[in-house]
Amino acid sequence: MKLLLSVSYALPLIALLCFCVYFYSLTFTSSQPSHLPEFVSTTNHSSLSASTPPVYEKLCDYSDGKWVPTKRGPLYNSSTCAKIYKNQNCVSNGRPDTGFLYWRWKPSECHLPRFDPNTFLQLISNKHVAFVGDSVSRNHLESLLCMLSTVSKPKRVRHQGSRWWLFRSHNAILSYYWSPFLVEGVQRKTRGPPYNTVHLDRVNMRWARDMDQMDMIVLSFGHWFLVPSVFYEGGKVLGCMSHPVSNCTVEIGFDNPIRRALRTALNSIIERKVGKGNGVHVIVRTYSPSHFEGSWDKGGTCSKTKPYGIGERQLEGEDAQIRRIEMEEVENAKARGKQSRGFMLEVLDVTKLALLRPDGHPGAYMNPFPFANGVPKVVQNDCVHWCLPGPVDTWSEVLVQMMKTMAE
Ligand SMILES: *[C@@H]1O[C@H](CO)[C@@H](O)[C@H](O)[C@H]1NC(C)=O
Ligand SMILES: *[C@@H]1O[C@H](CO)[C@@H](O)[C@H](O)[C@H]1NC(C)=O
């Protein structure tokens, strides 16, 4: 299990490195609006709701349901979205089965409308929406960008080491801030300490310093807490995960560190944003399970070609635990921030719908044509990230419903 984790969780790092090379930098131009209005605006929403048909069910629980077959495929493919990151471009990499593209999430309580890029762009007009987290967060944002670019092409810019996409058509910004712990920390490296060093009580300034410019923040993380780590609080060692060094005698696992890191991030948003006349809308996207089958030494893969059906897979173990911690911390933060005007906090609960999609990962097709010359001795498999297009597109379908409700 440890070995399997060590390989599966090296992926986010590899992915990030490639990503940095892949997206060349552009200079920030002065035509960009210097200030974006607050999220809580009193002017836009009435006109918006007048032009938007009320097709959504307000109190629907989108997290519970099943995957049902559909004839209609995704909104984009590798020809219409030129920017699919190569390790997630499964169809172009030769994945032979395309059945995984023809499923829709059917919540038990209601109907989930198909993603409408125009509605989403309207909802983010004059706003800056930041995705903060690990490479699965980036995976989600790239899926969203592919769907939005079917109606409006963003301009990519670099902003102090982070990536922003400007939608001139709607005076809107989507951004991605790499911050796998949300708090300050250094990921383990092939060269360097083979464990993470994480300060659970210090928010990561990489994203926090730009907080004043954000109207909505989508936080998501988790995977990087499951590998060997040394956790600090108040500058002192609090404990470790998986005994990374012989002198770390206090094994504290991942739950408490995940809880503390999320609490630090949410507290920091409440402290910096709330009550300053500057509203913020925060969404915690819950943990996205991985699907390695079999043990690592027998080649952990994810080769299923269909979603799990009813009763085939329960939400349990690590996946359930991390999700529960996220839910609890969101409730705690809601209580702390509730007196504050303009502070909205919700959970985008994708854990179950993601859990039921073992077929949605790149697996061996993270690399182009992995079996072109027969089956190699070692096949690298990615069972953490999601193919684009793929089930991760659904996350934005749920997100847009939440945004509509919150915009009312
Ligand atoms: C991608 O979608 C476009 C438009 O729907 C279609 O014309 C094209 O054949 C598709 N390309 C691939 C590679 O599937
Ligand atoms: C282990 O010992 C080294 C060297 O004394 C020290 O730098 C490090 O902080 C210690 N780690 C823990 C987890 O106590």
Side-chain angles (χ1 to χ4, degrees):
M1 192 57 189
K2 297 259 164 61
L3 272 171
L4 179 151
L5 283 173
S6 64
V7 168
S8 65
Y9 294 113
L11 285 169
L13 179 63
I14 297 164
L16 175 80
L17 291 174
C18 304
F19 183 78
C20 292
V21 177
Y22 182 64
F23 283 88
Y24 52 91
S25 96
L26 289 163
T27 43
F28 194 63
T29 60
S30 56
S31 53
Q32 162 58 26
S34 58
H35 176 72
L36 288 168
E38 299 169 15
F39 180 76
V40 185
S41 144
T42 48
T43 49
N44 284 346
H45 298 143
S46 52
S47 59
L48 191 72
S49 42
S51 61
T52 312
V55 287
Y56 58 95
E57 289 88 336
K58 200 168 176 170
L59 297 170
C60 178
D61 172 10
Y62 295 102
S63 69
D64 195 40
K66 61 179 178 186
W67 289 94
V68 295
T70 174
K71 287 211 170 61
R72 240 172 122 177
L75 272 180
Y76 63 95
N77 61 31
S78 55
S79 328
T80 60
C81 184
K83 300 296 173 226
I84 296 178
Y85 174 56
K86 61 180 166 44
N87 291 147
Q88 280 127 36
N89 203 345
C90 303
V91 176
S92 289
N93 287 347
R95 180 173 171 167
D97 62 304
T98 50
F100 74 98
L101 300 172
Y102 297 89
W103 295 91
R104 279 199 57 72
W105 179 244
K106 172 75 189 79
S108 319
E109 292 182 0
C110 59
H111 167 71
L112 178 63
R114 231 173 119 81
F115 187 83
D116 175 17
N118 287 310
T119 303
F120 188 91
L121 287 168
Q122 270 181 22
L123 285 164
I124 66 164
S125 289
N126 301 317
K127 294 182 174 65
H128 175 174
V129 177
F131 282 70
V132 176
D134 57 23
S135 55
V136 179
S137 167
R138 191 204 64 218
N139 193 186
H140 177 197
L141 174 59
E142 288 182 344
S143 144
L144 176 59
L145 288 165
C146 279
M147 295 194 288
L148 296 177
S149 58
T150 59
V151 303
S152 178
K153 297 263 184 265
K155 178 177 166 56
R156 280 202 314 268
V157 300
R158 270 188 93 79
H159 177 81
Q160 299 177 352
S162 292
R163 281 170 279 286
W164 289 22
W165 287 262
L166 316 179
F167 288 86
R168 292 254 162 76
S169 56
H170 292 76
N171 189 35
I173 298 171
L174 285 180
S175 65
Y176 170 63
Y177 289 80
W178 162 254
S179 183
F181 309 109
L182 305 183
V183 291
E184 207 180 274
V186 180
Q187 308 91 255
R188 65 188 195 142
K189 298 204 169 64
T190 330
R191 275 179 227 163
Y195 52 86
N196 304 320
T197 304
V198 189
H199 291 270
L200 297 170
D201 54 347
R202 301 183 192 161
V203 72
N204 182 3
M205 291 312 285
R206 189 189 176 110
W207 64 275
R209 70 172 172 223
D210 286 352
M211 219 189 275
D212 287 348
Q213 303 168 51
M214 299 172 184
D215 301 290
M216 180 170 145
I217 307 173
V218 183
L219 297 172
S220 47
F221 74 132
H223 293 277
W224 280 88
F225 285 78
L226 306 180
V227 294
S229 306
V230 181
F231 297 111
Y232 290 80
E233 215 165 56
K236 294 204 179 70
V237 174
L238 185 72
C240 298
M241 158 80 190
S242 295
H243 298 290
V245 278
S246 56
N247 59 344
C248 186
T249 49
V250 191
E251 171 72 32
I252 56 170
F254 60 82
D255 335 15
N256 203 24
I258 284 183
R259 184 184 294 286
R260 285 168 191 247
L262 182 54
R263 193 176 295 178
T264 298
L266 292 173
N267 275 347
S268 154
I269 296 173
I270 294 172
E271 277 161 25
R272 280 159 213 251
K273 289 285 282 183
V274 171
K276 307 251 161 49
N278 197 4
V280 68
H281 177 172
V282 181
I283 288 179
V284 174
R285 192 266 293 152
T286 62
Y287 188 64
S288 167
S290 58
H291 292 92
F292 285 95
E293 297 155 27
S295 57
W296 153 247
D297 51 1
K298 296 192 186 72
T301 58
C302 39
S303 51
K304 286 201 161 43
T305 53
K306 274 186 186 165
Y308 287 119
I310 289 180
E312 242 187 297
R313 182 76 193 253
Q314 304 305 320
L315 180 53
E316 59 195 2
E318 248 162 39
D319 302 332
Q321 208 173 341
I322 298 174
R323 176 181 167 276
R324 183 177 46 76
I325 292 166
E326 290 169 328
M327 296 296 206
E328 287 170 4
E329 284 309 307
V330 164
E331 285 313 307
N332 290 340
K334 270 187 187 168
R336 286 196 298 279
K338 79 167 174 246
Q339 303 305 331
S340 321
R341 215 183 120 262
F343 176 65
M344 287 183 280
L345 173 61
E346 290 299 333
V347 166
L348 172 55
D349 186 3
V350 301
T351 306
K352 187 165 178 194
L353 66 89
L355 178 72
L356 299 179
R357 293 307 304 271
D359 57 329
H361 301 287
Y365 295 94
M366 64 179 289
N367 292 309
F369 302 96
F371 305 114
N373 303 308
V375 179
K377 265 208 200 80
V378 182
V379 184
Q380 224 186 338
N381 270 270
D382 180 354
C383 304
V384 177
H385 301 97
W386 302 93
C387 291
L388 297 187
V392 66
D393 300 341
T394 300
W395 301 4
S396 299
E397 292 184 335
V398 180
L399 177 63
V400 77
Q401 296 310 314
M402 291 172 58
M403 287 166 67
K404 280 185 195 171
T405 308
M406 290 168 107
E408 280 189 334

